Amino acid sequence: MAARETVRQRPLTGEPVAVDLLNTRWVAGTEHHDLLDSLDGLAQWLDESGLAPRFEAGPTALDHLLSTRSALARLLEDPRDPEAAADLNAVLAHGSVRRRLDRGAPASTVEFDAPSWGPAWTAAADFLDLRERPDRIRGCANPGCVLHFFDTSKNGTRRWCSMSGCGNRAKAARHHARERAGRTA
Ligand SMILES: [Zn+2]
């Protein structure tokens, strides 16, 4: 693979691929970032999401991913949004799972209408899996943060995209509020 000129540092990676697709957009200070604004960014995302060995970055794959990301974002706002569901289902219609028995073990392969559907289909299918626990897909509790996460904590108490990012900022803000309250008391 050719070396890319710049790798853009995302504040949060490592979430399941559907959530990780949403997290290609983030806000730093007042600046909005979108990793999927270029083919280089797409190649980086395929690397970071673990899809790179299977799928290639191309303009068609990027188009499919952007419409999938938009559908996912709308479905998190309203899980019953019929247009967003139709958009997601249209993506899912471009792949099908073939199951078989392989030397005594269950195996499956996914077949796509075209390879360019691979990344979008994989993210859409992952979203269906995550929807088994719908309350665990959440947005960061910082209103200024647009990141999402899939809460795998035992009690489902995760609030922040990351403790080192928004979690720390909230802690510092509470600390300052207490200090101010102490001074005026
Ligand atoms: Zn956050």
Side-chain angles (χ1 to χ4, degrees):
M1 186 181 298
R4 279 188 288 282
E5 282 177 13
T6 51
V7 171
R8 282 180 275 172
Q9 198 73 44
R10 289 194 288 153
L12 179 62
T13 55
E15 292 296 321
V17 64
V19 178
D20 196 52
L21 175 59
L22 289 163
N23 290 343
T24 50
R25 282 189 290 205
W26 70 95
V27 177
T30 53
E31 249 183 89
H32 289 251
H33 297 265
D34 185 351
L35 186 62
L36 298 185
D37 59 4
S38 69
L39 284 181
D40 265 3
L42 170 60
Q44 182 185 329
W45 183 72
L46 291 174
D47 266 348
E48 290 175 350
S49 62
L51 299 175
R54 281 180 287 155
F55 305 117
E56 280 179 20
T60 321
L62 182 58
D63 279 351
H64 297 332
L65 268 175
L66 290 175
S67 54
T68 305
R69 184 177 69 178
S70 153
L72 293 180
R74 284 175 287 144
L75 286 166
L76 286 188
E77 293 277 314
D78 174 9
R80 292 178 178 275
D81 180 336
E83 272 178 41
D87 288 351
L88 190 78
N89 286 338
V91 174
L92 288 166
H94 289 280
S96 55
V97 180
R98 281 183 182 268
R99 306 191 69 193
R100 64 183 190 283
L101 194 65
D102 186 2
R103 282 165 289 181
S108 63
T109 45
V110 186
E111 292 179 352
F112 304 109
D113 294 354
S116 60
W117 282 106
W121 187 94
T122 305
D126 182 54
F127 182 72
L128 296 193
D129 293 339
L130 300 182
R131 284 290 303 171
E132 309 247 335
R133 303 184 77 186
D135 57 314
R136 292 300 183 107
I137 315 174
R138 294 198 299 275
C140 177
N142 172 5
C145 179
V146 298
L147 294 170
H148 288 80
F149 56 83
F150 186 67
D151 186 355
T152 53
S153 70
K154 191 157 169 268
N155 299 319
T157 51
R158 180 172 169 185
R159 296 186 63 206
W160 313 106
C161 59
S162 72
M163 272 322 292
S164 59
C166 291
N168 250 339
R169 273 192 289 279
K171 210 160 86 181
R174 277 199 304 275
H175 179 73
H176 287 306
R178 265 198 308 275
E179 281 203 329
R180 269 196 308 276
R183 274 201 299 274
T184 52

